[in-house]
Amino acid sequence: MKRHEVFAVAQLGPIHLADSRARTVNRLIDMLREAHGRGATWVTFPELALTTFFPRYIYDTPEEYDVFFEEGLPSPAMVPLFDAARDLGVGFYLGYAEKVQQDGRTRRFNSSVLVGPNGDILGKYRKIHLPGTAEPIGDLEFEHLEKRYFEVGDLGFPTFATPSGRFGMCICNDRRWPETFRVMALRGAEVFMLGYNTPTRNIHHHEPAYLREFHHRLSLESAAYQNGAWVMGAAKCGAEDGFAMIGGSMIVAPTGEVVARAASEDDEVITHNCDLDMGAYIRRSVFDFARHRRIEHYGPITQQTGVEIPE
Amino acid sequence: MKRHEVFAVAQLGPIHLADSRARTVNRLIDMLREAHGRGATWVTFPELALTTFFPRYIYDTPEEYDVFFEEGLPSPAMVPLFDAARDLGVGFYLGYAEKVQQDGRTRRFNSSVLVGPNGDILGKYRKIHLPGTAEPIGDLEFEHLEKRYFEVGDLGFPTFATPSGRFGMCICNDRRWPETFRVMALRGAEVFMLGYNTPTRNIHHHEPAYLREFHHRLSLESAAYQNGAWVMGAAKCGAEDGFAMIGGSMIVAPTGEVVARAASEDDEVITHNCDLDMGAYIRRSVFDFARHRRIEHYGPITQQTGVEIPE
């Protein structure tokens, strides 16, 4: 018996500094309704889906940047989206900037939440692989200051039991690290949900622009294949106040094949009727972890952070 | 200052059961000379490059299958290749079936050796991720009995200092496991050398034939990109006594881009003038392991072999 279910990825076009939260949430709700109308029971929204990608700007005090953060879950701005999803019976992944009182202090994370089709909050993820820098590089048309505004996530890579199987969540730069997906797969994830904001230009070094999309796609294809899992990748893209980001939202099958792909750099819903058992044959044969993995030879992966040249 | 150096991959067409070692070694030497004539200082040959891919056949006693194994390094059959390479000043990777007296008993491994341009043996690797089964599946046109004829490698994933930088070696099915390349990269490898024999048909389950080449390519592209390293992949391919194997030998740049690719399923040399510093910018930015890896969240990768569903 096959477990077929329609999944949607809701790509967001630009959100400008001047755009209100209410306007943005209405765009999300419009796409939620479209996804539902096309039969979807799950929607993946992008990273930091409620505001512009603010880590490109330099702010010095919390008073300046707290405007981009959400408090509470749902935060006041999220309530209409949570209500609409519960009314439609659609589950979703949503990326947002999280401000929370924890350990007796104010903490800020680049987070995502997984909400079930019945409206239950199934869990949170806090981004672990923060790219960029804490201090501005300067002399650039934009910065990438995630290490300035966010702490490294403290929840690991959890997985979540849902009515449609076990899901895992990650965010943007996490996708370039095979460790991300392997940990989730070892914890039973069959679907990886991922939002991202990826500037079209790599500020760290010169490289051909086409490599940005290629590296994104390569990361998702290999994550899917090497773990026999579905990948849902949702971009925020296009030019936000003139700063361009790649699109390329996609759904990747457990064979590593891209089965749905956004063709715009604007709001766009893509869907696929996913066979949730498709990865099972891969996990029973080539990627039967229990039979083939050789952890006695993997030690350096968890014993050392950087390169160490042997004697 | 750029470190440019020409690397060659020498793909082998079929070796039939009736072919002599001497004939096969002459084919390797012919390709070695061609590679040298095209400016190469390093050649990567395939896995089990001296015989047919014998794990497809069922043998019951060492008397039957020891004919496929080499003893000594160089083994008698390898001597003309070692001599020719040293005379030309070309280093190489060669895959072979290794029979050795070790720990007071006869042991057999699916091995590769790295020989420097001056003829020095720089080191060995013994295949860790053995695919297939120990007992025949039966009811197939061919088997895949690597677990029957070989022990799991006992040398880990070593890396080797060479006049051209630090190299790592792996074999065939190792390439499907990102752990393989990550361990070598954490030990400083800038070039991954890899030989393989990959049947065109997946005997474990039905899948479209084109996925075999796609999964091979995806594995090599992602290994290169995620580690900022060069990948040299050498196939033995074509139909050996009627049993078809994929070609697709390739050189992949540290950007994940295929820069040279074999177009035949026969003996064929491909080369590329590799910028050995090309990966450096990747390892200084996106994949600066020391700055970005978060080993405190990678525990399951080395703590558990198979999937474990959390409570």
Side-chain angles (χ1 to χ4, degrees):
Chain A
M1 199 191 82
K2 298 202 171 188
R3 288 187 296 145
H4 273 93
E5 194 157 346
V6 178
F7 280 65
V9 166
Q11 173 175 286
L12 267 169
I15 302 175
H16 306 295
L17 272 172
D19 289 338
S20 71
R21 284 282 208 297
R23 180 176 182 278
T24 299
V25 169
N26 278 337
R27 288 164 62 185
L28 297 178
I29 293 172
D30 282 349
M31 291 201 286
L32 182 83
R33 292 192 193 286
E34 179 183 341
H36 176 259
R38 292 165 63 184
T41 46
W42 292 95
V43 179
T44 301
F45 290 111
E47 172 193 34
L48 298 174
L50 302 178
T51 67
T52 199
F53 186 68
F54 65 90
R56 75 170 65 91
Y57 301 111
I58 305 170
Y59 301 107
D60 290 319
T61 65
E63 289 66 36
E64 294 175 87
Y65 55 78
D66 263 353
V67 63
F68 301 108
F69 283 79
E70 308 297 314
E71 291 186 80
L73 200 58
S75 70
M78 293 177 191
V79 168
L81 176 66
F82 276 59
D83 287 349
R86 190 188 54 244
D87 289 348
L88 296 173
V90 174
F92 65 94
Y93 160 115
L94 176 73
Y96 65 103
E98 177 187 18
K99 178 181 173 184
V100 67
Q101 302 305 317
Q102 183 181 311
D103 310 322
R105 60 194 173 92
T106 301
R107 305 187 66 178
R108 292 173 186 80
F109 298 97
N110 187 341
S111 298
S112 59
V113 60
L114 184 64
V115 178
N118 63 355
D120 287 350
I121 292 175
L122 300 176
K124 281 195 302 195
Y125 168 71
R126 290 168 169 169
K127 185 173 179 177
I128 284 174
H129 296 99
L130 295 174
T133 57
E135 293 306 315
I137 295 176
D139 197 25
L140 296 170
E141 70 265 40
F142 63 92
E143 299 282 345
H144 200 125
L145 296 170
E146 289 194 52
K147 285 183 160 76
R148 184 183 190 86
Y149 301 122
F150 304 115
E151 293 184 57
V152 171
D154 61 347
L155 302 176
F157 294 103
T159 59
F160 307 93
T162 82
S164 308
R166 186 165 283 272
F167 296 0
M169 295 193 279
C170 61
I171 300 177
C172 197
N173 183 49
D174 285 324
R175 73 194 187 286
R176 304 186 193 276
W177 301 86
E179 290 90 344
T180 297
F181 302 100
R182 186 63 102 220
V183 171
M184 292 194 284
L186 283 165
R187 291 175 174 156
E190 301 166 278
V191 177
F192 302 136
M193 290 171 156
L194 158 79
Y196 60 97
N197 287 258
T198 300
T200 301
R201 182 186 157 199
N202 187 335
I203 59 172
H204 297 291
H205 52 77
H206 174 73
E207 67 180 6
Y210 60 79
L211 286 180
R212 298 292 269 176
E213 193 278 339
F214 172 60
H215 290 159
H216 157 65
R217 178 164 38 87
L218 181 56
S219 298
L220 270 55
E221 290 172 342
S222 57
Y225 169 60
Q226 291 167 343
N227 297 287
W230 287 91
V231 180
M232 308 289 149
K236 182 142 64 67
C237 59
E240 294 187 330
D241 292 302
F243 300 103
M245 300 188 295
I246 66 168
S249 296
M250 56 182 68
I251 299 174
V252 188
T255 55
E257 295 172 282
V258 176
V259 293
R261 192 181 187 290
S264 76
E265 291 187 339
D266 212 333
D267 292 8
E268 181 176 351
V269 175
I270 57 174
T271 63
H272 185 79
N273 188 14
C274 301
D275 173 2
L276 292 170
D277 285 330
M278 193 186 200
Y281 80 78
I282 293 178
R283 293 191 299 269
R284 273 197 310 268
S285 56
V286 178
F287 292 116
D288 182 342
F289 292 168
R291 200 149 48 95
H292 297 305
R293 293 182 79 246
R294 291 287 162 185
I295 59 175
E296 68 273 25
H297 295 301
Y298 301 161
I301 293 172
T302 51
Q303 285 162 8
Q304 65 190 72
T305 303
V307 173
E308 295 178 18
I309 306 294
E311 292 301 306
Chain B
M1 198 191 82
K2 296 203 170 186
R3 289 187 294 147
H4 273 94
E5 193 158 346
V6 178
F7 281 66
V9 166
Q11 173 175 286
L12 267 170
I15 303 175
H16 305 295
L17 272 173
D19 289 338
S20 71
R21 286 282 209 296
R23 179 175 183 278
T24 300
V25 169
N26 279 337
R27 288 164 62 184
L28 297 177
I29 293 172
D30 281 349
M31 290 201 285
L32 181 83
R33 292 190 194 288
E34 178 183 341
H36 176 260
R38 292 166 63 183
T41 46
W42 292 95
V43 179
T44 301
F45 291 111
E47 173 193 34
L48 299 175
L50 302 178
T51 67
T52 198
F53 185 68
F54 65 89
R56 75 169 66 90
Y57 302 111
I58 305 169
Y59 301 108
D60 290 319
T61 65
E63 288 67 35
E64 295 174 86
Y65 56 76
D66 264 353
V67 63
F68 300 108
F69 282 79
E70 309 296 315
E71 290 186 79
L73 201 57
S75 69
M78 293 177 191
V79 168
L81 176 67
F82 275 58
D83 288 349
R86 191 187 54 243
D87 290 349
L88 296 173
V90 174
F92 64 94
Y93 160 115
L94 177 72
Y96 64 103
E98 177 187 18
K99 178 181 172 183
V100 66
Q101 301 304 316
Q102 184 181 309
D103 310 321
R105 60 195 173 91
T106 300
R107 304 187 66 178
R108 294 174 184 80
F109 298 98
N110 187 342
S111 298
S112 60
V113 60
L114 184 65
V115 179
N118 64 355
D120 287 350
I121 292 174
L122 299 176
K124 281 194 302 193
Y125 168 70
R126 289 167 170 169
K127 185 172 180 178
I128 285 174
H129 296 99
L130 295 174
T133 57
E135 293 306 314
I137 295 175
D139 197 25
L140 296 169
E141 70 264 41
F142 63 93
E143 299 283 345
H144 200 125
L145 296 170
E146 289 194 52
K147 284 184 161 76
R148 184 182 190 88
Y149 301 123
F150 304 116
E151 292 184 57
V152 171
D154 61 347
L155 303 176
F157 294 103
T159 60
F160 307 93
T162 81
S164 308
R166 186 165 283 271
F167 296 0
M169 296 192 280
C170 60
I171 301 178
C172 197
N173 183 47
D174 286 323
R175 74 194 186 286
R176 304 187 194 274
W177 301 86
E179 291 90 344
T180 297
F181 302 99
R182 187 63 103 219
V183 171
M184 292 195 284
L186 284 165
R187 291 175 173 155
E190 301 166 277
V191 178
F192 302 136
M193 291 172 156
L194 159 79
Y196 59 96
N197 287 258
T198 300
T200 300
R201 183 187 155 196
N202 186 335
I203 59 172
H204 297 291
H205 51 77
H206 174 72
E207 66 181 6
Y210 60 78
L211 285 180
R212 298 293 269 175
E213 193 278 339
F214 172 60
H215 289 160
H216 157 66
R217 178 163 40 86
L218 180 57
S219 299
L220 270 56
E221 289 172 341
S222 57
Y225 168 61
Q226 290 167 343
N227 297 286
W230 288 90
V231 179
M232 308 289 151
K236 182 143 63 67
C237 59
E240 294 188 329
D241 292 303
F243 299 103
M245 299 188 295
I246 67 167
S249 297
M250 56 182 70
I251 299 174
V252 187
T255 55
E257 294 173 284
V258 176
V259 293
R261 193 181 187 290
S264 75
E265 290 187 339
D266 211 334
D267 292 8
E268 180 176 350
V269 175
I270 58 173
T271 64
H272 185 79
N273 187 16
C274 301
D275 173 3
L276 291 171
D277 285 330
M278 192 185 200
Y281 81 76
I282 293 178
R283 292 191 299 269
R284 273 197 310 269
S285 57
V286 177
F287 292 116
D288 181 343
F289 291 169
R291 200 149 47 94
H292 297 306
R293 294 183 78 245
R294 292 285 163 185
I295 59 175
E296 68 273 24
H297 295 301
Y298 302 162
I301 294 172
T302 51
Q303 286 163 6
Q304 65 190 72
T305 303
V307 173
E308 295 178 17
I309 305 294
E311 292 301 305

